[in-house]
Amino acid sequence: MKAVRYFGHKEVRVVNDLEKPVPKGDEVLLKIGGAGVCHSDLHIIDGGIAGDAVFTLGHENAGWVEAVGETVKGYKKGDAVLVYGPWGCGHCKPCQQSKENYCDHQSELGYGGGLGLNGGMAEYMLVPSSRLLVPIYDLDPVVAAPLTDAALTPYSAIKRSLTKLMPDEYVVVIGVGGLGHVAIQILREISGSEIIACDVTEDKLEFAKELGAAHTVNSKDSDAAEQILKIIGIKKAKVVLDFVGATSTIELGTKVVGMDGDLTIVGLGGGYYQYGSMNGLPFGVTMTNPYWGSRTELMEVIGLARQGKIHIEIEKFDLEQANEVYDKMRQGKIKGRAVLIP
Ligand code: NAD
Ligand code: ZN
C-alpha cells in the first residue's frame, strides 16, 4: 500500500510497497478517508523531535473500519471513525479518566500513530486498540479528520480556562492556522468573551474576522501589544492562547495578559520565557502548556461539529503531494487545514 514515510531529518518520501496490515486481538484496520497535516509534523521533519524512528506520518486520522481483530466488540466494517491520537497505556489513572494525553507511561511509549509509530498518511492504518476509536456517525471522514487534533487541542485548552472566559472579558488568539482557526470558532460558541486574533498576514486576519474575531492585530507590528491594550483597556486580557510558541509571541502574551489571567502556550515554537523580565508578568497569571485533549473531550468536539457549530476549513491534496503541502505550511500558505486523501 501507499504511505507517506518519515526516514529521518528532512527526509519524507511516498512509498508504494508497504504491506496492508492484518488486525489481531483488539486491533482495528482502518481504510483512511483523510489525514490532516499538522504543524507538529514540521517539528518532527525539520526539528528532528522523533529521533531515529522510521514511520508513516499523519496523526489526524479518520476513515472507515476495514477489518477488526478477533476480540473487538462494537465496531463493524464500514463504521466511520476518528482515531484518538495520543496513545497511552490504557491502564493508569489518567488513561482510566480518558486523558491518555497525560498517560503516566508516555515517556516509555512513544507518542502515538504518526508521532514515532505508524500513522494515517496511507491507504490503511492499523490502530492498536478499539479503545482509540471515536465514532463520527454522519460526518465525512475527509472533512472530520482534523477534528482529532486541530479541534480537540484548542477545545481542551479553552475548557480549562472556561470559568474565566466571561462575556465582559477579552481573549487573545495568537496564530490563525490549523488550530487557531478552530479555536476562534470554539470560543465563539462556548464562551462569551470578545475575541482578538493575531497573525502575520492580512488574509489570515480577514479569515479570523469571518470566523468570529471581533478585532484583529498583525503581530508583526512593533506596537502589536499596545494595539491590543488599546482595545481592551487597563484590565488586559483574561486569557491568551498562543498557537505559535515563539519567543516573540510569548513576549506578546506576557504583555497583554491581565492579573489572575491564563497564558496558555499550545504552539511548540521553542520560544523562551524569562521569568521576571519583559516588565514582569502580572500577579496571579497561570502559564500552562497543554498537550492535546482527552477521549471524552473528542466526543464533545464531534458534538460541536455535528451540530454545525464548528467546521474545519480544509484544502484537499493527494498523498503524493505531501512534501508540497509541508512546503506550503512552512510558508504559512495553508488556509485552515490541509488534508491528504489516499
Ligand atoms: P499552522 O502552520 O497551521 O498555523 C500556524 C499559524 O501561525 C499560521 O497561520 C501562521 O501564519 C501563524 N504565525 C506564525 N508566526 C506567527 C507570529 N509570530 N504571530 C502570529 N501568528 C503567527 O500550525 P498548527 O498546525 O495550527 O499548529 C500550531 C502550533 O501548535 C505548532 O507549533 C504545532 O506543533 C502546535 N501543536 C501543539 C499541540 C499540543 O498539543 N500542544 C497540538 C497540535 C499542534
Ligand atoms: Zn498535531
Side-chain angles (χ1 to χ4, degrees):
M1 65 171 189
K2 214 182 290 175
V4 180
R5 302 277 284 172
Y6 172 77
F7 289 96
H9 187 57
K10 294 197 174 168
E11 231 192 300
V12 173
R13 290 197 299 275
V14 182
V15 302
N16 279 302
D17 56 354
L18 278 194
E19 254 179 57
K20 182 176 167 184
V22 177
K24 300 183 297 293
D26 191 37
E27 293 170 350
V28 178
L29 184 70
L30 285 196
K31 183 174 164 54
I32 291 293
V37 183
C38 177
H39 203 110
S40 300
D41 293 349
L42 291 184
H43 297 310
I44 293 174
I45 299 164
D46 300 341
I49 57 172
D52 296 332
V54 172
F55 57 94
T56 300
L57 286 158
H59 59 267
E60 287 190 350
N61 307 305
W64 302 271
V65 172
E66 172 76 6
V68 296
E70 49 301 343
T71 60
V72 172
K73 289 197 175 70
Y75 288 103
K76 58 177 190 322
K77 186 170 173 160
D79 287 346
V81 290
L82 273 181
V83 182
Y84 174 72
W87 298 348
C89 71
H91 303 290
C92 68
K93 187 170 171 184
C95 283
Q96 291 292 333
Q97 292 170 324
S98 109
K99 296 190 281 193
E100 300 200 24
N101 47 325
Y102 298 126
C103 170
D104 288 343
H105 296 274
Q106 194 179 67
S107 58
E108 302 163 347
L109 290 171
Y111 288 87
L115 300 166
L117 305 168
N118 284 334
M121 289 182 182
E123 288 170 275
Y124 297 94
M125 173 180 183
L126 189 68
V127 180
S129 169
S130 58
R131 179 188 87 243
L132 302 167
L133 301 179
V134 181
I136 56 173
Y137 310 101
D138 50 350
L139 292 179
D140 174 3
V142 174
V143 183
L147 289 173
T148 195
D149 180 7
L152 174 58
T153 301
Y155 180 76
S156 188
I158 289 164
K159 244 182 101 173
R160 67 195 295 156
S161 293
L162 209 50
T163 54
K164 293 185 178 177
L165 289 165
M166 291 298 142
D168 56 339
E169 304 290 358
Y170 289 82
V171 53
V172 175
V173 174
I174 305 174
V176 188
L179 273 65
H181 93 284
V182 191
I184 292 171
Q185 300 174 63
I186 296 168
L187 286 164
R188 182 193 69 205
E189 293 298 331
I190 73 170
S191 91
S193 297
E194 205 159 320
I195 305 164
I196 303 173
C198 300
D199 205 296
V200 291
T201 61
E202 287 309 313
D203 53 334
K204 294 279 171 78
L205 296 179
E206 199 47 51
F207 184 37
K209 279 214 165 137
E210 285 164 25
L211 296 169
H215 313 271
T216 58
V217 171
N218 192 322
S219 37
K220 267 204 309 215
D221 293 350
S222 56
D223 65 344
E226 288 74 18
Q227 291 183 47
I228 292 169
L229 294 178
K230 199 170 161 204
I231 296 165
I232 305 178
I234 195 157
K235 67 179 183 176
K236 300 187 172 180
K238 203 60 174 176
V239 178
V240 176
L241 297 159
D242 180 352
F243 294 103
V244 181
T247 300
S248 65
T249 58
I250 296 171
E251 271 182 33
L252 178 61
T254 59
K255 285 181 186 164
V256 300
V257 71
M259 283 211 257
D260 196 27
D262 289 350
L263 177 51
T264 303
I265 303 167
V266 178
L268 305 173
Y272 288 96
Y273 167 72
Q274 200 178 344
Y275 182 70
S277 72
M278 306 168 215
N279 302 324
L281 197 63
F283 286 117
V285 168
T286 304
M287 271 180 99
T288 169
N289 61 340
Y291 179 61
W292 228 322
S294 70
R295 279 189 279 123
T296 52
E297 284 173 335
L298 183 53
M299 292 169 177
E300 293 161 18
V301 163
I302 292 166
L304 281 175
R306 291 187 73 209
Q307 290 184 59
K309 291 186 169 167
I310 59 167
H311 77 282
I312 311 274
E313 180 91 9
I314 65 163
E315 286 187 46
K316 297 182 191 176
F317 297 90
D318 296 331
L319 274 188
E320 284 81 358
Q321 293 175 282
N323 276 310
E324 186 189 315
V325 174
Y326 285 131
D327 265 342
K328 279 185 155 223
M329 185 170 246
R330 283 183 188 98
Q331 296 159 31
K333 285 195 176 145
I334 300 286
K335 185 179 181 194
R337 199 49 132 192
V339 175
L340 300 187
I341 300 168

